[in-house]
Amino acid sequence: MNDIFLLRLLKSGDKQAFKLLFDSYFEALCRFMYIYLGNKQDAEEIAIDIFMYLWENREKIEIKLTFKGYLFQTARNRCLNALRDRKNTLAIDEIPQADMGSSLEMEELSRLIEEAVLSLPGRCHEIFVKSREEKLTNQEIADEMNISVKTVEAQITKALKRIREFLGEQYYYLF
């Protein structure tokens, strides 16, 4: 069964449809949130909270993306809120890599991200690298390249859009 059909059933209170959606996405959602949180138990608790919210609000939830997109965007937001509440943010290079399920999947994702960044056009690539890898502020990049901050912001937005397109639907939630 496809997600659209299952969502229709879910909205009408079908517990079996809910179970199928839960079984299909729970584990992947936990692995995804573990990247942010570095704690398996926290990831599982938030995933359960997301599914509880989905069940309790099933009649009024409007999903404009795919169900998978909705879940992963919600998970990302919940993780960021949890990190903010912990007052402990992680840099991308500090994210725990252990217990991620498949290290091959992580290697493939890293390779895809690297390819996506390398595929950016010259100036866009340069600005994105300065922002993400060199960790310069938009103002510092603008000063160094003798361009406006608005140009820097526009180029970073363009880079993120192109990276999302390059990665496709499977990983769009990362950028």
Side-chain angles (χ1 to χ4, degrees), residues 122-168:
R123 187 180 200 189
C124 186
H125 175 266
E126 184 180 356
I127 290 171
F128 188 79
V129 167
K130 287 180 183 300
S131 171
R132 296 310 195 263
E133 292 177 18
E134 296 176 25
K135 302 200 185 317
L136 298 178
T137 65
N138 291 354
Q139 184 64 57
E140 290 170 333
I141 296 168
D143 292 344
E144 186 177 309
M145 296 183 72
N146 200 25
I147 56 177
S148 74
V149 173
K150 289 286 186 198
T151 300
V152 172
E153 291 168 355
Q155 289 296 310
I156 290 172
T157 300
K158 178 181 175 182
L160 291 171
K161 182 179 180 206
R162 292 185 99 163
I163 290 169
R164 273 188 218 106
E165 289 169 358
F166 186 92
L167 294 177

Side-chain angles (χ1 to χ4, degrees), residues 34-119:
Y34 182 83
I35 293 171
Y36 282 93
L37 303 171
N39 183 303
K40 186 177 180 181
Q41 184 177 355
D42 288 349
E44 288 175 353
E45 286 176 13
I46 293 174
I48 289 169
D49 286 346
I50 290 169
F51 278 100
M52 284 176 49
Y53 178 85
L54 182 68
W55 177 255
E56 291 168 356
N57 296 282
R58 65 189 175 275
E59 295 167 351
K60 58 186 172 192
I61 287 180
E62 291 297 321
I63 297 175
K64 294 179 175 45
L65 305 168
T66 63
F67 180 69
K68 181 179 179 181
Y70 170 83
L71 275 182
F72 281 88
Q73 187 64 45
T74 301
R76 179 181 175 273
N77 292 340
R78 296 268 182 114
C79 286
L80 293 174
N81 290 341
L83 290 171
R84 181 197 64 219
D85 293 346
R86 260 195 231 166
K87 302 222 185 298
N88 178 19
T89 58
L90 298 174
I92 192 86
D93 56 346
E94 295 172 330
I95 293 173
Q97 296 298 316
D99 201 27
M100 276 302 300
S102 168
S103 62
L104 288 176
E105 185 179 345
M106 290 305 293
E107 287 174 25
E108 175 67 11
L109 178 57
S110 294
R111 187 188 61 73
L112 280 172
I113 291 170
E114 188 176 327
E115 265 185 61
V117 172
L118 288 173
S119 75

